[in-house]
Amino acid sequence: MKLLEDKIAVITGSSRGFGFAIAQTFAKEGAKVVLAARTQQTLQKALDQLVSQGYTAAGFACDTSNYTEVLKLAEFAVSK
């Protein structure tokens, strides 16, 4: 059994850099990951990469400094 199996992880800033590395590591450990980033285009590239590696991932473009968008991100994560 993997460390994060049957868990869902929401990772902000996850379209590149450290955020993407964290998302990839969580996915390798069995988590279903929800990537969040401001830019849809870079978010989609990150999602495509994770999915092509066989991981379960979904993405949501949002600005985490906006409370309303964060609520929508939470609702999206729960729905997935």
Side-chain angles (χ1 to χ4, degrees):
M1 184 164 174
K2 296 182 179 181
L3 184 63
L4 298 174
E5 198 166 335
D6 298 324
K7 303 291 182 189
I8 299 170
V10 177
I11 302 134
T12 60
S14 53
S15 64
R16 57 193 166 114
F18 287 121
F20 180 75
I22 291 166
Q24 193 171 40
T25 301
F26 280 28
K28 285 178 184 177
E29 285 298 326
K32 296 172 184 154
V33 294
V34 177
L35 308 181
R38 288 180 289 172
T39 309
Q40 180 63 41
Q41 185 178 7
T42 57
L43 179 62
Q44 190 59 54
K45 287 180 185 178
L47 279 171
D48 291 345
Q49 187 173 348
L50 287 176
V51 170
S52 73
Q53 295 171 357
Y55 301 121
T56 302
F60 190 83
C62 75
D63 178 357
T64 57
S65 69
N66 181 313
Y67 180 74
T68 303
E69 289 188 29
V70 172
L71 289 177
K72 289 178 184 178
L73 169 60
E75 290 172 1
F76 175 80
V78 169
S79 75
K80 292 295 176 183

